[in-house]
Amino acid sequence: MFGEVSLEGLHHRTITVQALTELEVAVLEHEHYISARGHGVMHTILGAGEKYRFIAGLPMFKNADKYVMSRFAHALAHEEIIKGNKVLEKGKEKRDFCFALNGCVELVRKIPPSDVATMTVKQQMESQHNIIASLRQGDFYGESGTINCHNEFVAASNVAMGLYSTYSSRVEHVVECCDAIAATHVEVLEISAIEARRLLDKDTLQQLINAFDAKNKWRKSRAKECKSQVKSLRGRLRKEAIVNDISVNFTSPPKPTPTPTQGDGNGIEEDLWDMNSLDDVSMGS
């Protein structure tokens, strides 16, 4: 067997294989591999070397020390997330720092129904404006817990050095600004918040804090934009409903006007009979 490491799309070929005789091979295409793994048939198996190469390609580790990256890579654990599971909760911190290997995680304004078939037409239309952002291979999430561990460590150090008299008053806690779900079967490399804080150097942690603040600002702005789009959609749907109702009223066929010979059920025939009877009586007199 050869070429298996390239299926993940995380590695570059380092050697060339040449056939010395005629041979037949069974080929597993990349898209078929991804599809099979998405149904729980296969999953990624990465060694320490593959993990190191993966994180070394991430922007946050661009200037990190190789020894730091090596220790960090060894501490990463492989986890699989089932489609539909919630991975982030708005207003809370995430205690595991995760790096997406495969699949898609969606940051959303509201958690959608688990069964799409039960969604109304209105919900289906609004769902188009529910996704704030999508996280894919190489993206990370859940850094809030790592940042909080770092802030707690800094606050404790400041108290120990006598810079502050109390510990709790100087701790700045951050939380996730939106919910997130696994839009597909997702594979991640994860590390606990405490372990990540211990292994990452000061400069990398500061980059992480700056990036988290910038991402949260953008995500909040994007959430407001999505909310405005949903509001506009609802207004348009209401207008269309009113116009459709008016159209139905105007295009409805008019009621037939009753004639004296047909009657209208309100005694017209009886009234005509009474008038004829009166004429007969007057003629007879």
Side-chain angles (χ1 to χ4, degrees), residues 27-205:
V27 178
L28 176 62
E29 298 289 348
H30 176 72
E31 57 268 23
H32 296 156
Y33 171 78
I34 295 297
S35 176
R37 193 191 54 229
H39 288 86
V41 179
M42 309 175 72
H43 60 84
T44 309
I45 300 177
L46 296 180
E50 286 79 11
K51 292 178 184 177
Y52 176 85
R53 283 190 288 271
F54 173 74
I55 65 169
L58 302 180
M60 67 173 290
F61 291 103
K62 183 177 180 180
N63 299 318
D65 182 79
K66 291 184 178 180
Y67 177 69
V68 171
M69 287 195 296
S70 178
R71 294 177 61 202
F72 191 84
H74 275 79
L76 291 170
H78 176 267
E79 294 292 339
E80 297 189 23
I81 304 171
I82 299 174
K83 178 181 178 180
N85 281 9
K86 182 189 289 189
V87 298
L88 291 178
E89 188 170 353
K90 183 178 180 179
K92 296 186 178 181
E93 68 173 0
K94 173 76 172 174
R95 299 302 295 180
D96 295 310
F97 191 8
C98 303
F99 300 83
L101 280 173
N102 287 291
C104 177
V105 170
E106 290 181 345
L107 306 175
V108 295
R109 288 180 56 248
K110 296 180 180 179
I111 299 295
S114 56
D115 186 5
V116 179
T118 62
M119 294 176 65
T120 63
V121 176
K122 180 181 176 183
Q123 287 176 324
Q124 292 177 4
M125 296 182 70
E126 290 183 0
S127 66
Q128 300 173 7
H129 306 292
N130 190 44
I131 301 174
I132 297 174
S134 297
L135 306 180
R136 300 183 183 276
Q137 184 185 95
D139 293 325
F140 56 84
Y141 62 88
E143 61 269 38
S144 57
T146 302
I147 294 173
N148 286 334
C149 286
H150 174 67
N151 290 340
E152 290 169 1
F153 174 79
V154 171
S157 300
N158 290 335
V159 172
M161 291 186 294
L163 298 178
Y164 300 112
S165 58
T166 59
Y167 165 78
S168 58
S169 62
R170 304 307 305 175
V171 178
E172 298 179 7
H173 281 90
V174 299
V175 295
E176 302 295 337
C177 68
C178 56
D179 295 313
I181 60 170
T184 65
H185 176 86
V186 179
E187 292 183 75
V188 299
L189 292 176
E190 70 175 27
I191 183 172
S192 70
I194 296 176
E195 191 71 3
R197 192 225 63 82
R198 186 179 69 84
L199 294 175
L200 293 177
D201 58 78
K202 183 179 179 181
D203 291 338
T204 303
L205 283 167

